[in-house]
């Protein structure tokens, strides 16, 4: 029997081609609404998505023949995973596919913030030549704290090996240290870190984790990098900490205000006050959820997904 796969987001063409070569029957629908997809999902054995809409209980109840859900990305938070697994549906993600991209992006953000590259570039282009106000900091001798030591956190720690820094991490899993970083308690990380880099999924436990109490628990002023999920940080509390100089700078690839589909920046037409501050602050670097979005990772993500789908049917 042919395995029918519905692709509801565009991806690198190798994903489609290699599935076809392996005998899968591909169908594409990049424009229909969630309700329209639900009306026909019973005809499909697999679905390939990025982030167009949530796959919730309603969707899964209509997907009576679904055998796998493949998300071309790192996280599965847009899927009701427990309910899908209760129906015997295989859940596939590809954090291996863009971990290197995220690691390189994180490193670039730190170096840019430390050396005021974004600010200096803007000033030069507007005719200003300000050397003293753009005096930078060196990463050498600093302590970098990573929260979340999965694919992304480990890849970032590996990139830091070329610098004379101490790399420490906190994770809810125990005994996962390697040669690139030392595992510590959250309290020790908050005592020692000069830089905090978040590499977490968005879960009920991590939602709004970086709030005023969390920030104030740090012993020293610090820089913060977030390439994980925007809702892991309370933006208003981040801004308050920047105003008080507890946070020295922020590199944010993800925002609390992102819509799930990333089609527009805000949930409504009003710019939140805290975000307005970030837009104007010189020690803030903002990017549109592109840390894992390189040309290389685009192909690598697709290849990982193809390999994992084929593995499901080779057992």
């Amino acid at each position: 029997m042919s395995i029918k796969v519905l692709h509801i987001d565009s991806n690198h063409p190798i994903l489609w081609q290699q599935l076809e070569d392996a005998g899968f029957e591909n169908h594409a629908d990049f424009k229909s609404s969630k309700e329209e997809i639900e009306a026909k999902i019973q005809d499909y054995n697999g679905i390939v998505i990025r982030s167009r809409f949530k796959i919730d209980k309603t969707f899964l109840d209509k997907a009576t023949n679904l055998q796998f859900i493949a998300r071309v990305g790192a996280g599965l938070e847009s899927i009701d995973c427990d309910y899908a697994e209760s129906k015997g549906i295989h859940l596939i993600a590809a954090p291996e596919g863009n971990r290197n991209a995220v690691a390189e992006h994180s490193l670039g953000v730190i170096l840019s913030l430390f050396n005021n590259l974004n600010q200096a570039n803007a000033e030069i282009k507007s005719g200003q030549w300000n050397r003293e106000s753009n005096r930078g900091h060196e990463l050498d001798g600093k302590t970098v704290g990573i929260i979340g030591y999965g694919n992304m956190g480990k890849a970032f720690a590996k990139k830091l090996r070329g610098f004379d820094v101490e790399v420490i991490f906190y994770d809810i899993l125990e005994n996962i240290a390697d040669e690139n970083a030392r595992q510590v308690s959250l309290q020790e990380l908050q005592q020692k870190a000069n830089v905090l880099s978040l590499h977490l999924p968005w879960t009920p436990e991590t939602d709004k984790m970086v709030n005023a109490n969390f920030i104030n628990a740090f012993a020293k002023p610090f820089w913060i990098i977030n390439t994980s999920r925007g809702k892991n940080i309370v933006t208003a509390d981040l801004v308050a900490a920047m105003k008080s100089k507890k946070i020295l700078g922020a590199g944010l690839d993800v925002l609390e205000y992102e819509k799930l589909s990333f089609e527009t920046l805000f949930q409504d037409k009003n710019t939140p006050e805290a975000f307005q501050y970030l837009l104007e602050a010189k020690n803030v670097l903002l990017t549109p959820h592109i840390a894992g979005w390189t040309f290389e990772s685009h192909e690598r993500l697709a290849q990982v997904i193809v390999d994992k789908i084929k593995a499901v049917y080779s057992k």
Side-chain angles (χ1 to χ4, degrees):
M1 184 182 77
S2 177
I3 305 299
K4 294 178 68 175
V5 181
L6 179 62
H7 301 248
I8 64 170
D9 288 295
S10 61
N11 287 292
H12 193 282
I14 67 168
L15 199 161
W16 182 289
Q17 187 60 55
Q18 290 190 24
L19 285 179
E20 187 175 277
D21 292 345
F24 292 79
E25 182 181 333
N26 290 312
H27 296 257
D29 189 339
F30 302 157
K31 296 182 178 180
S32 292
S33 68
K34 178 175 180 284
E35 291 73 21
E36 289 169 330
I37 298 291
E38 286 174 350
K40 63 180 180 180
I41 193 60
Q42 74 277 359
D43 295 333
Y44 293 93
N45 308 113
I47 186 168
V48 178
I49 67 167
R50 289 206 320 266
S51 300
R52 189 142 67 90
F53 52 70
K54 285 188 176 181
I55 295 186
D56 53 18
K57 187 175 184 294
T58 300
F59 186 97
L60 292 167
D61 281 340
K62 295 179 182 296
T64 51
N65 293 301
L66 204 60
Q67 297 169 4
F68 73 84
I69 302 168
R71 178 167 186 268
V72 186
L76 294 169
E77 63 267 24
S78 61
I79 302 167
D80 188 333
C81 295
D82 290 341
Y83 194 62
E85 289 176 339
S86 76
K87 289 178 166 289
I89 297 171
H90 293 274
L91 299 178
I92 299 169
E96 314 95 314
N98 60 356
R99 60 189 173 190
N100 184 72
V102 170
E104 290 190 8
H105 181 100
S106 300
L107 182 57
V109 168
I110 287 180
L111 295 175
S112 180
L113 287 173
F114 269 42
N115 293 284
N116 303 307
L117 299 185
N118 200 42
Q119 173 182 314
N121 175 65
E123 289 176 355
I124 288 286
K125 289 183 176 180
S126 66
Q128 302 176 63
W129 186 266
N130 301 323
R131 296 187 70 220
E132 184 56 38
S133 62
N134 284 305
R135 189 187 292 271
H137 296 269
E138 294 179 21
L139 193 52
D140 189 293
K142 303 295 191 296
T143 298
V144 178
I146 297 170
I147 297 185
Y149 208 61
N151 280 281
M152 311 303 171
K154 288 177 179 177
F156 180 46
K158 183 179 179 181
K159 297 297 178 191
L160 290 166
R161 288 184 68 175
F163 298 84
D164 289 324
V165 296
E166 180 183 13
V167 184
I168 57 178
F169 74 89
Y170 169 73
D171 195 284
I172 58 173
L173 298 179
E174 298 180 353
N175 301 316
I176 57 171
D178 57 22
E179 67 275 14
N180 300 320
R182 180 169 63 88
Q183 187 163 9
V184 299
S185 67
L186 179 59
Q187 291 72 28
E188 183 175 348
L189 185 145
Q190 290 172 316
Q191 283 295 308
K192 294 185 174 180
N194 304 107
V195 177
L196 172 64
S197 189
L198 301 178
H199 298 279
L200 297 158
W202 181 43
T203 68
E205 292 72 34
T206 64
D207 183 55
K208 300 180 175 59
M209 182 186 77
V210 181
N211 56 23
N213 289 336
F214 180 93
I215 293 167
N216 291 333
F218 277 74
K220 298 178 283 190
F222 64 99
W223 287 264
I224 186 169
I225 311 295
N226 189 13
T227 56
S228 61
R229 291 293 182 262
K231 294 184 187 298
N232 292 337
I233 294 179
V234 179
T235 310
D237 292 354
L238 167 69
V239 167
M242 296 190 75
K243 289 178 178 179
S244 71
K245 310 298 187 197
K246 186 60 180 278
I247 291 181
L248 301 171
L252 306 175
D253 184 53
V254 288
L255 295 166
E256 183 180 358
Y257 316 106
E258 285 180 30
K259 291 182 67 175
L260 183 70
S261 64
F262 311 132
E263 291 169 357
T264 57
L265 192 57
F266 303 119
Q267 302 283 10
D268 54 43
K269 295 182 180 179
N270 299 317
T271 302
E273 182 180 346
F275 185 67
Q276 190 62 45
Y277 176 90
L278 296 179
L279 290 174
E280 298 170 2
K282 292 182 177 180
N283 58 341
V284 174
L285 189 59
L286 302 173
T287 49
H289 207 127
I290 57 168
W293 199 249
T294 62
F295 289 101
E296 291 83 359
S297 71
H298 185 47
E299 180 173 351
R300 198 176 299 119
L301 283 164
Q303 188 63 61
V304 170
I305 290 295
V306 169
D307 293 343
K308 288 186 176 181
I309 292 173
K310 288 162 66 175
V312 168
Y313 293 95
S314 65
K315 295 176 181 178

